[in-house]
Amino acid sequence: MTRKPFISTSQAQAIRLAAALVILAPSAWAQSTGQAPGQDPVPAPQTGSAIQAREIVQGLEHPWAIAFFPGSTDALITERPGRLRLLRNGELAREPVAGTPEVFAKGQGGLLDVALSPDFVSDRRVYLAYAEAGEDGKAGTAIGYGRLSEDGDRLSDFRVIFRQTPKLSSGHHFGARLVFDGKGHLYATLGENNQRPTAQDLDKLQGKVIRIDADGGIPADNPFAAGPSQGKSALDAIWSYGHRNPQGAALNPWNGELWVNEHGPRGGDEINRVRPGENYGWPLATYGRNYTGFAIPEAEGSHVDGTAQPAYYWSRSPAISGMVFYDSDRFPAWRRSVFIGALKEGALIRLQLDGERVVSEEWLLQDLKERIRDVRQGYDGYVYVLTDSPDGKLLRIGLTN
């Protein structure tokens, strides 16, 4: 019996994805807690449209990320305990994809992000970011790739191309979003493993955004590739530093700039426009406080000389995660928006942009009471979200008009 190809561009496939339809309340929640430094919180927009949330699949165990195949609604989905799942024709394959690496599935660790090679059609490379255990029981973020079989059942020849050093995490703050820049480079976000001072250390890979080649090499124009900086031996892969736990990252399609969102402590979740060599402040500069309510011990304030201010921040943390720019014409009301998942607040946050400036903030899907872990734009122009729970779901989000 010949198996049908799992990559399809047919319109019929998108229709077969339907499972259940929920129409939520019109327009937005009139809730906005975010702002740019030195400005008042932005207003909520008035779109006049109702939101449709269509359930595609359920039964995912703490799904973390999704990557769509080129031109298709078929996809790969990671589950944090360590499984890579194939979504084909709107259904999950019975067995996980074989050949994935062993992961440190403890606390926030496990199998995290997934990204397809920009040349996937020819090289079939699937990139994974995951928590990897060290010899002392601590863990760090690792990145590798394998070749996906034609039937989608297996990754072969998995190769690790990057390891966070030293390994310091007991189960917290791995970061781990992957973004290709369209020029042969791969960005990855690395959490500071809940070891605050390391985010400022250029001889450690905690609290950093890195940029590497697709095979793990170091681009010659990385900001610290030429030698030491500030009297320290900077690791050549570092692109920026002073990050806490960046769990969302996306390339701005209108100017090619990398945007990263990251968890603050109690307050201080923020979005950064990431530029080479910049220090984004953690833990010296923060809009948040410790979970106890006391100040972060190392913090010198929200504005610290030598550090970059966030583009946008929340004084009350939504616990932000996945992020995507919306650049489709399918829903004109969403043009030039950024969608961000919120875990603690159980929301999909839409930020409307005017250039690089956020002009309104809309909170969606709160009626579902689901933790939103990942957000992606599909090739069909819909927004897809993964909900983080033992019975996680993939939802397709659109507007009624």
Side-chain angles (χ1 to χ4, degrees), residues 117 216 250 311:
S117 162

Side-chain angles (χ1 to χ4, degrees), residues 145-207:
Y145 68 81
R147 180 180 173 84
L148 186 67
S149 59
E150 291 292 337
D151 59 12
D153 290 346
R154 171 175 294 276
L155 286 182
S156 61
D157 303 320
F158 191 84
R159 174 190 172 197
V160 179
I161 60 171
F162 175 85
R163 286 185 166 97
Q164 185 183 41
T165 57
K167 287 180 166 58
L168 298 177
S169 180
S170 299
H172 299 92
H173 298 189
F174 292 96
R177 288 294 175 189
L178 302 174
V179 177
F180 282 98
D181 69 354
K183 301 176 182 178
H185 305 128
L186 175 63
Y187 293 105
T189 67
L190 306 176
E192 36 77 293
N193 298 165
N194 204 27
Q195 304 292 321
R196 293 188 301 263
T198 62
Q200 291 295 317
D201 292 341
L202 290 174
D203 59 353
K204 296 181 177 65
L205 285 167
Q206 276 70 28

Side-chain angles (χ1 to χ4, degrees), residues 300-373:
E300 301 174 14
S302 58
H303 295 67
V304 175
D305 289 345
T307 67
Q309 281 285 292
Y312 200 74
Y313 75 94
W314 286 265
S315 56
R316 188 185 75 191
S317 292
I320 50 182
S321 190
M323 176 168 65
V324 71
F325 288 87
Y326 188 82
D327 63 351
S328 172
D329 291 329
R330 183 166 199 129
F331 301 113
W334 285 351
R335 288 194 190 113
R336 301 195 72 85
S337 295
V338 177
F339 285 90
I340 295 173
L343 296 163
K344 180 170 68 71
E345 296 294 341
L348 178 64
I349 300 173
R350 184 177 75 89
L351 303 178
Q352 185 71 48
L353 301 178
D354 180 2
E356 294 187 342
R357 187 169 61 92
V358 176
V359 294
S360 65
E361 177 180 334
E362 183 177 25
W363 288 42
L364 308 168
L365 304 186
Q366 286 186 294
D367 280 349
L368 298 183
K369 301 186 186 304
E370 297 273 9
R371 289 162 53 88
I372 305 299
R373 171 63 72 182

Side-chain angles (χ1 to χ4, degrees), residues 68-316:
F68 289 101
F69 294 112
S72 175
T73 48
D74 292 343
L76 291 171
I77 301 173
T78 59
E79 292 178 303
R80 192 156 46 81
R83 294 179 292 272
L84 181 64
R85 307 296 301 276
L86 173 65
L87 177 70
R88 179 166 44 204
N89 297 328
E91 297 182 358
L92 288 174
R94 184 180 300 273
E95 297 296 329
V97 177
T100 56
E102 183 177 352
V103 305
F104 176 88
K106 179 179 177 182
Q108 298 167 1
L111 184 56
L112 304 175
D113 207 7
V114 56
L116 303 186
S117 162
D119 299 317
F120 177 79
V121 172
S122 58
D123 65 26
R124 301 193 64 77
R125 286 185 183 179
V126 174
Y127 287 76
L128 299 174
Y130 58 99
E132 179 187 58
E135 295 179 357
D136 61 356
K138 298 293 181 65
T141 302
I143 302 166
Y145 68 81
R147 180 180 173 84
L148 186 67
S149 59
E150 291 292 337
D151 59 12
D153 290 346
R154 171 175 294 276
L155 286 182
S156 61
D157 303 320
F158 191 84
R159 174 190 172 197
V160 179
I161 60 171
F162 175 85
R163 286 185 166 97
Q164 185 183 41
T165 57
K167 287 180 166 58
L168 298 177
S169 180
S170 299
H172 299 92
H173 298 189
F174 292 96
R177 288 294 175 189
L178 302 174
V179 177
F180 282 98
D181 69 354
K183 301 176 182 178
H185 305 128
L186 175 63
Y187 293 105
T189 67
L190 306 176
E192 36 77 293
N193 298 165
N194 204 27
Q195 304 292 321
R196 293 188 301 263
T198 62
Q200 291 295 317
D201 292 341
L202 290 174
D203 59 353
K204 296 181 177 65
L205 285 167
Q206 276 70 28
K208 310 299 189 292
V209 173
I210 62 162
R211 186 178 74 149
I212 58 178
D213 294 328
D215 287 323
I218 306 297
D221 59 345
N222 271 11
F224 302 111
S229 175
Q230 300 179 2
K232 299 178 180 179
S233 179
L235 300 185
D236 291 353
I238 295 173
W239 185 253
S240 62
Y241 63 109
H243 302 280
R244 185 174 181 266
N245 187 20
Q247 288 193 3
L251 210 65
N252 185 328
W254 302 293
N255 64 12
E257 189 174 60
L258 180 69
W259 287 33
V260 166
N261 73 47
E262 54 191 280
H263 290 265
R266 185 174 176 178
D269 285 14
E270 61 187 45
I271 299 174
N272 287 300
R273 296 193 291 266
V274 177
R275 288 156 183 163
E278 288 279 6
N279 178 1
Y280 289 87
W282 178 255
L284 306 178
T286 178
Y287 286 88
R289 300 179 69 83
N290 236 324
Y291 294 112
T292 61
F294 293 103
I296 301 295
E298 300 89 349
E300 301 174 14
S302 58
H303 295 67
V304 175
D305 289 345
T307 67
Q309 281 285 292
Y312 200 74
Y313 75 94
W314 286 265
S315 56
R316 188 185 75 191

